[in-house]
Amino acid sequence: MAGRYDRNPFDEEEEEVNPFSDPAVRGKASGQSKFGGGAFSTSTPPTSNSRLSPLPPEPAGFGYDRDATVDIPLDTASGGSKYQDFKKKEKELQAKEAELRRREQDVKRREDAAARAGVVLEEKNWPPFFPIIHHDIANEIPIHIQKLQYVAFATFLGLALCLFWNIIAVTAAWIKGAGVKIWFLAIIYFVAGVPGAYVLWYRPLYRAFRKESAIKFGWFFLFYLLHIGFCIFAAVAPPIVFKGKSLTGILPAIDVIGDNALVGIFYFIGFGLFCVESLVSVWVLQQVYMYFRGSGKAAELKREAARGAMRAAI
């Protein structure tokens, strides 16, 4: 049996040299251990007589096959239904988007056709909190007649104010025993008067200034004269056509102030409003007529009227 410390027969033959067998080397070694070495001291690690064989290389990828595919099932009981719902909603959104795009193209085509035909599309923009009419003096009316258009608009709003105050005064008279019939008449004046004024004379004047149309001017003059006549009649309020106290004129004010001072004051305020409305309306009519004559629209209106009469005769 071989000894415990026998030489390995497979090791290379090397001569074993003891570095400490030399006294000089031992002295140096002892000196170095005494002074703890220095900055220039070097040491050589002991060589090992045994050599380990390298391990075989490990395959990269940590033991997983990169080329292997993993199948994730989507059509499960819950996942499949959610995926189908998502695809269905996506199709619905695409259909809605296509419909909106088609409508936008249709609207744009109509606007282009109207622009080519000379038709102005009026978008409702007034009053701002609840648009019911189209009104844009600053951008659509020539700058040299914008002031006149604003004053005409003020007479339209003034008429609405007069008729609204008329309702308040007549309501006070009704409460004091004047009867409910005059209150209903006051409501009718307001409901019919304000929209009628806009359709019959204010909108024709607005379009006449915007398009320089002689026919629109003629329409305005006809109904604006009726407007002035009504305001003058309401300021007097004789009991011949309308029910006497259904309008806040001077005659009803004198009549009711003896019975009730507060109702009489309300009627006198209404009388003052109708007077101011009448005076401003007369000024607007005068200014519009001067512009109408100066711009040559009067002659154009006469020619158009003559052509219309000739066509009607033929």
Side-chain angles (χ1 to χ4, degrees):
M1 181 175 182
R4 182 177 182 182
Y5 300 101
D6 291 343
R7 291 178 58 86
N8 189 351
F10 300 98
D11 288 345
E12 296 179 0
E13 291 295 330
E14 293 181 358
E15 182 181 358
E16 295 183 358
V17 179
N18 188 357
F20 297 99
S21 61
D22 190 2
V25 173
R26 284 199 303 270
K28 290 181 179 180
S30 61
Q32 290 177 356
S33 62
K34 181 177 181 180
F35 296 103
F40 301 99
S41 63
T42 58
S43 61
T44 57
T47 60
S48 173
N49 294 331
S50 63
R51 294 183 179 179
L52 298 177
S53 61
L55 295 175
E58 291 289 338
F62 304 97
Y64 298 101
D65 190 1
R66 291 185 177 181
D67 297 332
T69 59
V70 180
D71 295 332
I72 301 176
L74 295 177
D75 194 9
T76 58
S78 60
S81 61
K82 291 181 179 179
Y83 181 75
Q84 292 177 358
D85 293 341
F86 173 77
K87 298 298 289 183
K88 183 178 179 181
K89 292 180 179 179
E90 184 179 5
K91 291 181 179 179
E92 291 177 356
L93 290 176
Q94 291 177 354
K96 291 180 179 179
E97 184 180 359
E99 180 67 18
L100 289 176
R101 191 181 298 109
R102 185 187 65 80
R103 290 183 180 179
E104 290 178 356
Q105 293 176 355
D106 190 19
V107 171
K108 190 176 185 306
R109 186 171 60 253
R110 291 180 180 179
E111 291 179 351
D112 294 341
R116 288 192 299 268
V119 179
V120 179
L121 298 178
E122 297 181 348
E123 181 182 358
K124 296 178 180 179
N125 59 355
W126 194 90
F129 56 88
F130 187 70
I132 55 176
I133 63 173
H134 175 77
H135 196 257
D136 192 5
I137 296 177
N139 295 323
E140 294 182 347
I141 304 300
I143 191 170
H144 61 283
I145 53 176
Q146 285 184 5
K147 180 180 178 181
L148 181 56
Q149 184 67 52
Y150 278 119
V151 178
F153 184 60
T155 60
F156 169 70
L157 297 180
L159 178 65
L161 176 61
C162 291
L163 295 178
F164 181 74
W165 183 262
N166 186 74
I167 293 176
I168 295 175
V170 172
T171 302
W174 170 42
I175 293 173
K176 295 301 179 179
V180 69
K181 187 177 181 180
I182 61 173
W183 184 81
F184 279 114
L185 288 174
I187 296 294
I188 292 173
Y189 302 155
F190 181 82
V191 173
V194 176
Y198 175 76
V199 174
L200 294 177
W201 59 263
Y202 181 72
R203 188 171 64 180
L205 178 64
Y206 186 90
R207 293 179 176 178
F209 279 153
R210 185 178 65 185
K211 299 180 180 179
E212 296 292 335
S213 173
I215 296 296
K216 297 296 182 182
F217 276 110
W219 193 266
F220 163 76
F221 287 132
L222 174 62
F223 288 100
Y224 203 66
L225 285 172
L226 294 178
H227 158 72
I228 294 175
F230 171 78
C231 291
I232 295 174
F233 184 89
V236 180
I240 54 176
V241 178
F242 302 97
K243 187 71 177 178
K245 296 179 182 179
S246 63
L247 289 172
T248 55
I250 184 64
L251 296 180
I254 295 173
D255 189 16
V256 300
I257 197 169
D259 299 333
N260 191 290
L262 180 61
V263 177
I265 292 173
F266 281 1
Y267 270 73
F268 272 108
I269 294 175
F271 161 70
L273 291 176
F274 276 115
C275 288
V276 174
E277 176 70 14
S278 301
L279 293 175
V280 178
S281 298
V282 169
W283 183 85
V284 170
L285 180 65
Q286 179 187 5
Q287 296 298 317
V288 173
Y289 182 72
M290 291 174 61
Y291 174 80
F292 178 72
R293 291 291 300 271
S295 61
K297 297 299 179 182
E300 182 180 349
L301 180 60
K302 290 180 181 179
R303 290 193 298 269
E304 291 182 1
R307 284 196 296 267
M310 187 177 297
R311 284 195 298 267
I314 295 174

